């Protein structure tokens, strides 16, 4: 087991690996983006990780979500992902919470107890609330903008929230903050892409076993190479931040 992080330590150094192991991270939403982020964090040396999602694995998740396979359909996403992450590092402290983050239960997550908050939430209302809460505390926030309707991996980028361009989700968040006159307390980085394609498939095809798809106003197409890049980029932002804190 001592060899798990040997290659990471060779690049980052013992001090950085020790610091990574001390950090507490919480990931909200473990779908196409969040599941890969969690994987990237654990494989890079994060030991204390909390994953939050209320959904169950659906057959329509298989094309892009890490823990979704034909054998896991119908199971809790966070429980399946927790099993996967513990197979990577049995000594990791993985807390799985099957719930939805919202204004009503926000205090139960104790955001101030974490070093990093990862936002991979789809819901505009809940995402906006999480951003406001996280930026009002001492925790560092990284957020995923919309990863659907993308194809070109070269267009995935990172920018401060107010500098995100061409993303409908980012624009909707900014509009909401301005309308309600409530703004993030601090700057935070986002993963996004300016690319925006159109759905070309049959929108009437819906997975009968999915409880989450039915809640969405529109179901947009998405592919694993994009959602995974979004997720791994989020995990990379955490690793880079810890690295920079040691090597100033």
């Amino acid at each position: 087991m001592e060899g798990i992080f040997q290659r990471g330590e060779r690049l980052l150094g013992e001090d950085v690996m020790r610091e990574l192991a001390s950090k507490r991270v919480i990931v909200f939403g473990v779908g196409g983006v969040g599941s890969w982020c969690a994987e990237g964090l654990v494989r890079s040396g994060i030991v204390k990780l909390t994953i939050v999602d209320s959904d169950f694995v659906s057959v329509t998740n298989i094309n892009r979500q890490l823990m979704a396979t034909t054998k896991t359909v119908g199971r809790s996403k966070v429980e399946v992902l927790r099993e996967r992450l513990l197979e990577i590092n049995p000594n990791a402290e993985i807390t799985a919470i099957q719930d939805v983050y919202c204004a009503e239960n926000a205090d139960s997550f104790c955001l101030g107890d974490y070093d990093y908050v990862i936002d991979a939430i789809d819901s505009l209302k809940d995402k906006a609330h999480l951003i406001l809460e996280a930026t009002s505390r001492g925790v560092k926030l990284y957020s995923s903008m919309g990863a659907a309707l993308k194809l070109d991996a070269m267009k995935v980028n990172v920018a401060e929230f107010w500098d995100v361009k061409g993303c409908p989700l980012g624009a909707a968040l900014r509009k909401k903050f301005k309308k309600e006159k409530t703004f993030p307390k601090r700057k935070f980085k986002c993963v996004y892409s300016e690319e925006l394609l159109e759905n070309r498939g049959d929108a009437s095809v819906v997975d009968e076993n999915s409880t989450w798809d039915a809640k969405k106003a529109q179901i947009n197409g998405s592919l694993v190479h994009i959602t995974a890049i979004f997720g791994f980029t989020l995990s990379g932002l955490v690793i880079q931040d810890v690295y920079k804190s040691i090597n100033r």
Side-chain angles (χ1 to χ4, degrees):
M1 299 303 298
E2 294 180 359
I4 293 178
F5 303 112
Q6 183 179 20
R7 295 299 178 91
E9 182 177 331
R10 182 151 180 84
L11 173 65
L12 302 175
E14 184 179 345
D15 290 346
V16 174
M17 296 305 296
R18 187 181 301 112
E19 190 71 8
L20 284 170
S22 74
K23 298 301 184 184
R24 297 192 64 192
V25 184
I26 185 166
V27 178
F28 288 98
V30 294
V33 173
S35 61
W36 297 101
C37 176
E39 170 113 346
L41 291 169
V42 171
R43 286 190 184 274
S44 299
I46 292 294
V47 175
K48 301 172 183 178
L49 178 66
T50 298
I51 51 177
V52 183
D53 200 301
S54 67
D55 206 7
F56 296 86
V57 177
S58 163
V59 67
T60 58
N61 301 150
I62 294 175
N63 84 312
R64 70 196 184 284
Q65 298 186 14
L66 174 67
M67 63 285 164
T69 70
T70 54
K71 292 184 178 180
T72 61
V73 169
R75 294 188 59 195
S76 162
K77 286 185 180 180
V78 290
E79 288 301 330
V80 177
L81 182 57
R82 180 176 183 273
E83 292 174 5
R84 159 82 176 191
L85 298 176
L86 289 175
E87 287 180 357
I88 296 169
N89 183 6
N91 296 319
E93 301 170 17
I94 310 296
T95 301
I97 301 177
Q98 188 171 0
D99 204 350
V100 173
Y101 176 93
C102 59
E104 290 71 25
N105 67 1
D107 290 342
S108 68
F109 293 102
C110 302
L111 295 184
D113 292 343
Y114 294 90
D115 299 290
Y116 296 94
V117 170
I118 304 297
D119 159 38
I121 294 177
D122 290 327
S123 164
L124 178 66
K125 178 182 178 182
D126 298 336
K127 193 179 195 74
H129 191 277
L130 176 60
I131 289 172
L132 294 175
E133 284 293 304
T135 57
S136 69
R137 304 173 188 272
V139 60
K140 182 155 287 189
L141 169 71
Y142 295 119
S143 180
S144 171
M145 297 293 103
L149 300 178
K150 321 290 185 189
L151 185 61
D152 189 346
M154 299 299 291
K155 292 183 179 179
V156 179
N157 208 343
V158 176
E160 196 277 322
F161 172 67
W162 294 101
D163 294 328
V164 170
K165 301 177 181 178
C167 175
L169 180 55
L173 283 167
R174 289 193 294 271
K175 181 178 180 180
K176 180 176 177 64
F177 290 143
K178 291 176 181 177
K179 179 179 180 181
E180 298 177 359
K181 297 182 179 179
T182 55
F183 300 96
K185 299 296 184 181
R186 300 192 339 267
K187 292 182 177 181
F188 62 98
K189 291 182 179 179
C190 301
V191 182
Y192 75 103
S193 169
E194 294 186 42
E195 183 180 27
L196 190 62
L197 303 179
E198 295 181 358
N199 286 307
R200 299 173 65 87
D202 187 351
S204 67
V205 179
V206 178
D207 174 23
E208 295 179 355
N209 296 318
S210 173
T211 57
W212 178 251
D213 286 349
K215 299 177 184 178
K216 292 188 175 182
Q218 181 175 340
I219 301 171
N220 291 318
S222 54
L223 293 170
V224 68
H225 72 285
I226 296 296
T227 62
I229 290 172
F230 268 60
F232 283 137
T233 302
L234 288 169
S235 67
L237 289 171
V238 173
I239 310 307
Q240 285 178 289
D241 191 66
V242 173
Y243 178 84
K244 289 178 181 178
S245 72
I246 299 296
N247 296 279
R248 291 177 177 174

